[in-house]
Amino acid sequence: MNYDVIVLGSGPGGYVTAIRASQLGLKTAVVEKESLGGVCLNWGCIPTKALLKSAQVFEYINHAEDYGITVKDANADFTNIIKRSRDVADGMSKGIDYLLKKNKVDVINGYGKVKKGNKVSVTADGTSTDYSAKHIIIATGARSRELPNLQQDGKKVIGYREALILPTAPKKMVIVGSGAIGVEFAYFYNSMGTDVTIVEFMPNILPVEDIDISKQLQRSFKKSGVKVMTNSSVEKVDTDGTGCKVLIKTKKGEETIECDIVLSAVGIAANIENIGLKEVGIKTEKGKIIVDGYYNTNISGYYAIGDVLPTQALAHVASAEGITCIEKIAGQSPEPIDYGNIPGCTYCSPEIASVGLTEDAAKEAGHEIKVGKFPFTASGKASAAGHKDGFVKVIFDAKYGEWLGCHMIGYNVTEMIAEAVVARKLETTGHEVLKAIHPHPTMSEAVMEAVADAYDEVIHM
């Protein structure tokens, strides 16, 4: 069959691109080898948030007396918690199926490979069929990255997929890597009663975040019983016997930790192998596809978006890239994405959200800066909610008032970061944020208070 657009992959980059293409009047198909929605909906963003919500509810119950409520004999039914997570993911995948049908996007099930001459070969049940399209968009996403000395066997050394469907909560777990995946699973399994140790090669956990955020999360984790080992590396995992013996190299020497499960959370690798890139001649570099500002590869008619690119590997980035790509193809004039204004969110407890430059990055860029912080210990809403851990930190250019960065750690802050993203998009200054009246009592007024601190006008601290 001939199409205007074929999208390879139905994750948050692929399905969004396909729907937008159809809205713009283009005959569109999406190719998917597994479940609609890709990793995000089925094995990433959505099912992990369902697990984390169960952990949060269980934590509330265990601390019910703090709110004047007595609850007896509460137990976490791990099997049903996992089942709920899978049910949520399945429901979302069915929702994507509905959206694609509603928007008249054809779904081609099978393993897709790009071919020369603007064609895609799809293999299903041993049979291959060729489809042609004027525009082919590669959105094949990524998978858990494996280190040479940390090969995953799916049983004792696992990745995020297996971590989502373990039959029982392990007694002891070592998590290698403290990015978003690592710390989210650390919070979940710790809440389920697992003895969790995080091993991080860098000096701080969540190393991409502002240093103050990293330090606060480490304090919060320590308080909840998660052991954190920074400046450390896993040298070897011995899986002989019933459990694992993890050899860890630290600044003080070597240490061996015994556990039931090792979770490898050392990042992701793009799915660019065996999809026809070499045959077509599409350029890659360091395991990523090279594109221009509108996601054209070096071969006309072939494009790439999402985790296969060297941009931020985030669902909302993939969606935005897909929309920008297809609108350009359709003859519109979309604004190129500003990769300096992409929000990042981590859903452990306390949550973390950030956008823009860290304090160190702002200084390194040569800015003279104003920095403000407002702790949730000084927030009436946070005290009433029983969530006083964390703070909001803002960074402004001292000369022009430009909002350079915003970093939050605390309860529900992933719902608050959008204010900073929109304000930065609109080139709002610190004084404009300060004079925009925020509702009281809310967690979000901490943003205004942090700005007030930066400009020496803070009252509630």
Side-chain angles (χ1 to χ4, degrees):
M1 289 184 68
N2 298 319
Y3 290 93
D4 295 315
V5 177
I6 292 178
V7 184
L8 214 59
S10 73
Y15 84 77
V16 167
T17 305
I19 290 172
R20 186 68 184 119
S22 184
Q23 289 175 346
L24 292 167
L26 301 171
K27 185 181 179 184
T28 306
V30 63
V31 180
E32 177 54 59
K33 66 184 178 66
E34 291 186 32
S35 301
L36 291 172
V39 167
C40 179
L41 266 68
N42 295 284
W43 299 102
C45 328
I46 304 305
T48 54
K49 303 312 161 282
L51 292 181
L52 294 169
K53 185 61 183 181
S54 292
Q56 185 187 58
V57 171
F58 190 46
E59 208 167 45
Y60 263 130
I61 292 170
N62 286 334
H63 294 90
E65 289 188 5
D66 296 344
Y67 299 87
I69 299 167
T70 301
V71 177
K72 292 182 179 180
D73 302 324
N75 291 300
D77 186 331
F78 192 79
T79 301
N80 277 332
I81 287 172
I82 296 294
K83 182 182 181 300
R84 175 181 181 272
S85 169
R86 300 315 308 154
D87 288 346
V88 169
D90 291 344
M92 292 297 295
S93 185
K94 289 174 183 174
I96 302 305
D97 184 36
Y98 164 76
L99 288 175
L100 291 170
K101 286 178 180 175
K102 175 186 173 185
N103 286 279
K104 298 179 174 59
V105 174
D106 289 347
V107 176
I108 304 170
N109 297 113
Y111 187 92
K113 296 177 70 172
V114 295
K115 296 176 69 175
K116 288 183 178 180
N118 287 75
K119 291 182 179 180
V120 173
S121 173
V122 181
T123 302
D125 299 324
T127 302
S128 295
T129 305
D130 284 356
Y131 301 84
S132 63
K134 296 174 186 174
H135 309 281
I136 296 170
I137 301 172
I138 300 165
T140 47
R143 63 188 182 279
S144 179
R145 185 166 71 100
E146 292 193 56
L147 297 179
N149 63 330
L150 197 61
Q151 293 293 319
Q152 298 174 23
D153 60 17
K155 295 179 180 179
K156 292 182 180 179
V157 182
I158 64 173
Y160 58 80
R161 288 179 79 124
E162 293 82 9
L164 285 165
I165 54 172
L166 288 179
T168 57
K171 292 181 180 178
K172 288 189 175 183
M173 173 183 278
V174 170
I175 298 177
V176 187
S178 69
I181 294 171
V183 299
E184 286 182 4
F185 276 118
Y187 164 63
F188 171 70
Y189 278 103
N190 173 254
S191 298
M192 294 296 105
T194 300
D195 182 346
V196 176
T197 299
I198 296 176
V199 180
E200 172 56 53
F201 181 75
M202 301 296 284
N204 301 287
I205 58 173
L206 280 177
V208 300
E209 297 291 346
D210 187 274
I211 186 65
D212 288 346
I213 297 289
S214 299
K215 288 179 178 178
Q216 175 61 50
L217 181 62
Q218 189 160 339
R219 286 192 294 269
S220 296
F221 269 5
K222 184 178 180 180
K223 189 165 65 175
S224 63
V226 175
K227 183 180 179 182
V228 176
M229 300 176 69
T230 53
N231 289 307
S232 302
S233 60
V234 171
E235 300 296 300
K236 182 182 176 183
V237 179
D238 181 357
T239 57
D240 290 339
T242 55
C244 303
K245 293 179 181 178
V246 186
L247 180 63
I248 301 169
K249 184 179 179 181
T250 71
K251 280 190 170 182
K252 296 179 181 178
E254 292 185 341
E255 178 181 339
T256 299
I257 294 179
E258 295 189 12
C259 64
D260 305 302
I261 294 285
V262 175
L263 169 58
S264 178
V266 292
I268 59 172
N271 294 321
I272 63 170
E273 306 90 351
N274 304 315
I275 60 169
L277 299 186
K278 288 183 180 179
E279 292 82 351
V280 175
I282 294 171
K283 286 185 180 178
T284 64
E285 188 176 298
K286 297 179 180 178
K288 303 284 187 175
I289 298 174
I290 304 304
V291 295
D292 66 11
Y294 286 104
Y295 311 102
N296 296 275
T297 68
N298 61 300
I299 304 297
S300 179
Y302 295 81
Y303 314 78
I305 61 165
D307 292 0
V308 296
L309 304 184
T311 53
Q312 295 102 316
L314 299 167
H316 44 284
V317 172
S319 297
E321 288 172 344
I323 291 170
T324 303
C325 175
I326 202 66
E327 288 183 350
K328 185 68 173 178
I329 287 171
Q332 298 189 358
S333 300
E335 184 180 338
I337 292 172
D338 176 7
Y339 288 99
N341 197 33
I342 302 292
C345 296
T346 305
Y347 299 84
C348 53
S349 183
E351 288 185 353
I352 292 158
S354 62
V355 66
L357 298 178
T358 64
E359 182 176 351
D360 288 344
K363 290 175 180 175
E364 289 170 10
H367 292 281
E368 182 185 343
I369 59 175
K370 288 182 179 290
V371 178
K373 283 178 73 175
F374 188 79
F376 286 122
T377 52
S379 163
K381 179 64 179 293
S383 292
H387 293 286
K388 296 193 289 183
D389 272 6
F391 56 84
V392 173
K393 178 177 180 177
V394 294
I395 303 153
F396 290 92
D397 180 89
K399 186 175 181 180
Y400 299 108
E402 179 187 359
W403 197 347
L404 299 174
C406 183
H407 308 273
M408 308 175 176
I409 179 168
Y411 175 69
N412 221 32
V413 295
T414 57
E415 301 292 342
M416 292 165 48
I417 194 65
E419 174 181 355
V421 179
V422 173
R424 280 165 44 79
K425 173 71 174 174
L426 297 174
E427 299 182 352
T428 301
T429 66
H431 285 292
E432 288 172 328
V433 177
L434 182 55
K435 301 308 177 184
I437 298 172
H438 287 58
H440 174 80
T442 59
M443 300 287 283
S444 62
E445 66 184 326
V447 176
M448 178 189 69
E449 297 282 10
V451 177
D453 182 47
Y455 284 89
D456 297 321
E457 296 183 28
V458 68
I459 291 173
H460 295 102
M461 185 173 67

